[in-house]
Amino acid sequence: MSEAAINDFVIKLANVNGTGSASANGLLMKAIFRMGVPVVGKNVFPSNIQGLPTWYEIRVTEKGYRGRSGDVHFIVAMNAETYERDLAELSPGGVLLYDNTWPRPHFLTRPDIQVLGVPFARLCNDAFKAARSRILMKNMAYVGTVAALLNLDLDVIHQLVREMFSTKPKLIDLNLQAIALGYDYAKEHFDCPLPFSVQSRDNTAGKVMIDGNTAAGLGCVYAGATFGAWYPITPSTSLMDAFAKYCDQLRVDVDTDLHKYCIIQAEDELAAAGMIIGAAWNGARSFTPTSGPGISLMSEFIGFAYYAEIPMVLFDIQRVGPSTGMPTRTQQCDIQLCAYASHGDTRHLLLFPADPGECFEMAVQAHDLAERFQTPVFVLSDIDIGMNDWMVDELTWDDSYQPDRGKLLSTEELEKIEKFHRYLDVDGDHIPYRTLPGTHPKGAYFTRGSGHNKFGGYTEDGQAYKEVVDRLRAKWHSAASKVPAPVISPSKKKACCGIISVGSCDGAVLEARDRLEAEGLHLDYMRIRGFPFSDEVEQFVADHDEIFVVEQNRDAQLMGLLLLETDVPREKLIPILHYSGEPLDYQFVYSALQEAARVRKIA
Amino acid sequence: MTSFTKPHIRRKNEPVNKLGLVRADYDGAMSTLCAGCGHDSVTASMARAFFELSIEPHRAVKVSGIGCSSKTTAYFLREAHGNNTVHGRMPSVATGAVAANSALTYIGVSGDGDSLSIGLGQFVHAMRRNVNMLYVLENNGVYGLTKGQFSASADLGSLAKRGAPNEMPPIDPVSLALSVGATFVARGFSGDREQLVPLIKAGLKHKGFGLIDVISPCVSFNDHKGSTKSYAHTYQYYHKAVHADYVAPSKDIKVCYDEGEIMPVEMHDGGVIRLRKLEKGFDPRDRAAAMSALANAQKNDEILTGLLHIDETHPDMHALNKMEDRPLNEIPYAELNPGAAKLHDLQKGFR
């Protein structure tokens, strides 16, 4: 638990979903970001359109930490249904702001907090006529109050309102009026600002606020993908929305209105998988965004693409399972599913982004790897990365980039060769050449998921079958040095123990590690970014006596994968597991590491 | 077992098509199906249709699912890419392939198990999307590779080889196709190549999804007395409604026909399908009329065949998605890459 201070505190907004609170909360976060102070935003929302509880948490962190802290210093309680829970969650010394149009004296049962009441409903009912405005404007009214209490720059807020409603200018004045209502009330009734508030800094230059799904969709545009197929599923939908939006902006001929892309909303995930396989088999870069249930449904096709050696790019925006699970809550629960998806001996390439910046980069890498290795590639994001706005370095692009189309024979090359065999390892690199339909009569072959020999012919001969699947395994293994390398962050002092983690755990793990280091517990840290595991992963495991594996699932899936795929002995690995569905916070990791170190007597 | 190569035998004075190719140039590997299988006749008809249309074999694409029928894509057009996908999922792979390159000619081969049971969803949705391909459904009412279970197209009361009757109503692919808006719906019989070859040619030239339901008896598991998908039964109840001839685009096409008897339908490539009515008062351009004729035929236990419905006006998947004519897989990367400066601009809204 840490004290709130200037530019270092957490504000949580408790709302009812479907009341327009999301844009108000986003505005608050953006205002702080524009004041030059780094922020971490987490939207914890229900699988519902209207009426259920939803929370938005903004961590203000001048030091630029990237994870949640676990504290709540300021609650804006706008949902009577969750008052009890919100009250209980507030850290001692915290502030609770609520709508006292209907007073709640029992809030005063916590003497260790400060309760502030503003009659938002009454103010809005007096000021606005339309029923919908009265609901919507309550959000802007609390934005005004929060701005006064946290000393936010009103010019920045007003500018954001003008940008937000640039296409509906009539709404600008209405919203500014609501903000003034809440602001003036606070100035009149409370000591503003609070002891913790925001002071302008210059710590966000060169940064953008973007969510991982948007970044991944944009990455697919830059990768040169022209075909996408998908079945709507939370939380992956916004990835295809982003791809569609940018294609609409960038790839529609202004004169003819014709498209240089095709997006198909499939009848289910099975069909989405088949479509991207068909398009990739025919030479168009293609992809599908989905989540765990979609991967389950696509599994048969994933095995087909693996065995028939067809490029396939899948984005799994992981959500809480099993089954339908909690569709709007986050987890890293599909690691093992994706590593070996489909029946028979199958193994795939996995990429693990840790933030939207890496979603952009890895979207491009996934397309290159899928074509280079002619195999399915999974980008394993999650709700936290995919749907929350993260502060990251502005995305950059190298104009010299050319897509790696892999070993694809052109018409001219086919003209020169005597005979083409689809699955023959001509170069000794385990990767055969492939051809596209329509290029040359010599390039024809019969793609099949049934047993085939190295020439592409049907076989039920055990030896001929083994020759192909052994090469497939070698091919997969050779990708270990081509998937993104792990990021290793050594301790300041030599450490005998380490941490391994993955994806969206990164911010919380780094912060916990730094704080433990300040207290004398030294741990090296490696963040895995690709599968199959590279030599660096093997080396890190070999170099440390004990390793804490931090991940967001119940069954220690990453640890399991390390045990299966490296030489690490079982007793070296200690799981640290978070799987409640809320994004990981550093205090959880800190406490778990501290306790584990104490039990194991690690200094 | 491996696939056998069919010997290339050249005969003297063999007819050649416009490309100078002979019919045997459209063959594939040797069939491994049972002797007398209806599917082999369909394979031969498909090869003949491609030959007669003078389509370069390597500019064709064959796709299939799983089952006896799906195997047959290996038995014709050896110089064309084939994709023998997973069970019931050929339509989705075909959809993606067609999306990536619309310049090739696509033929899908499936069966009643592949299309009407495990693959019913994909089959229907490919028709709704009007994917530009010909879909040949080799229909024998039975699962052959797993040895004789009824399929979803088995008629009520049809008897299995061991005598058990089918007690569930059938799914009729033609009625289904008409109800979901398919733009080319035909039925043929493997035993009638004179009707089937022109149907296949017309279907290949149709811009949009073409379905040909081909009654194709299974000699091993469903050709006995009491089966409604046997050769004997099909011959007995076979009813030709409309004959279709495809006439390639040419200056010499004379738009000359007896009104009311021969109906010309103009195709997107400039060719014409000439429909010869064998049934009075039936216009295949009218979907409702086709449905009604079909219902009447079913009532009389007749197997209505021929080109039962055609609509050349409905946009295909490419048109619906406003895609340019150039195949997606031929668009150079330079045209797809917005570049670094643009990336900077795009992020203005994220600050």
Side-chain angles (χ1 to χ4, degrees), chain A residues 131-149:
Chain A
R132 185 71 183 151
S133 294
R134 287 174 170 180
I135 294 174
L136 291 174
M137 291 308 146
K138 274 203 294 182
N139 300 313
M140 283 303 174
Y142 76 63
V143 165
T145 302
V146 170
L149 289 168

Side-chain angles (χ1 to χ4, degrees), chain A residues 30 34 209 222 257 259-260 265 267 271 275 282 301 304 394-395 397 399 401 435 438 443-447, chain B residues 58-59 73 81-84 89 92 96-97 106 122 129 322 329 333 335 339-340 343-344 347 349-351:
Chain A
K30 204 77 174 271
R34 286 207 183 163
M209 304 247 13
Y222 275 80
D257 198 32
H259 297 184
K260 290 177 185 155
Q265 182 183 319
E267 55 269 32
M275 288 173 192
N282 216 352
F301 258 135
F304 174 69
E394 182 181 321
L395 308 179
W397 186 250
D399 276 328
Y401 168 83
T435 57
Y445 71 99
F446 198 70
T447 307
Chain B
H58 81 278
R59 300 293 289 173
T73 43
H81 272 65
N83 198 328
N84 183 209
R89 315 295 173 213
S92 62
Y106 292 83
Q122 295 211 345
R129 287 188 187 98
K322 293 188 183 171
N329 70 2
Y333 178 65
E335 275 184 54
L343 185 59
H344 180 71
Q347 290 175 90
F350 300 130
R351 281 181 212 114

Side-chain angles (χ1 to χ4, degrees), chain B residues 119-198:
Chain B
L120 187 67
Q122 295 211 345
F123 173 54
V124 168
H125 286 279
M127 291 193 278
R128 287 184 64 230
R129 287 188 187 98
N130 208 16
V131 179
N132 190 11
M133 67 181 293
L134 175 63
Y135 192 105
V136 177
L137 197 165
E138 300 179 350
N139 190 345
N140 57 18
V142 76
Y143 283 84
L145 275 178
T146 52
K147 304 193 175 178
Q149 300 80 15
F150 281 125
S151 83
S153 72
D155 294 303
L156 264 176
S158 183
L159 300 183
K161 205 172 183 182
R162 290 188 177 164
N166 171 50
E167 293 174 330
M168 287 192 289
I171 297 173
D172 170 29
V174 168
S175 309
L176 185 65
L178 288 171
S179 75
V180 298
T183 52
F184 179 106
V185 184
R187 179 176 282 146
F189 172 36
S190 62
D192 185 354
R193 283 197 213 179
E194 276 188 31
Q195 183 195 43
L196 187 56
V197 173

Side-chain angles (χ1 to χ4, degrees), chain B residues 8 78 92 96 149 151 181 241 280 286 310 339:
Chain B
H8 296 218
R78 73 175 78 80
S92 62
Q149 300 80 15
S151 83
K280 272 211 160 161
D286 179 348
I310 181 162

Side-chain angles (χ1 to χ4, degrees), chain A residues 35-57:
Chain A
M35 288 173 70
V37 182
V39 279
V40 176
K42 303 294 176 198
N43 189 11
V44 178
F45 59 102
S47 179
N48 180 266
I49 300 300
Q50 201 172 71
L52 288 184
T54 180
W55 291 270
Y56 199 90
E57 185 183 289

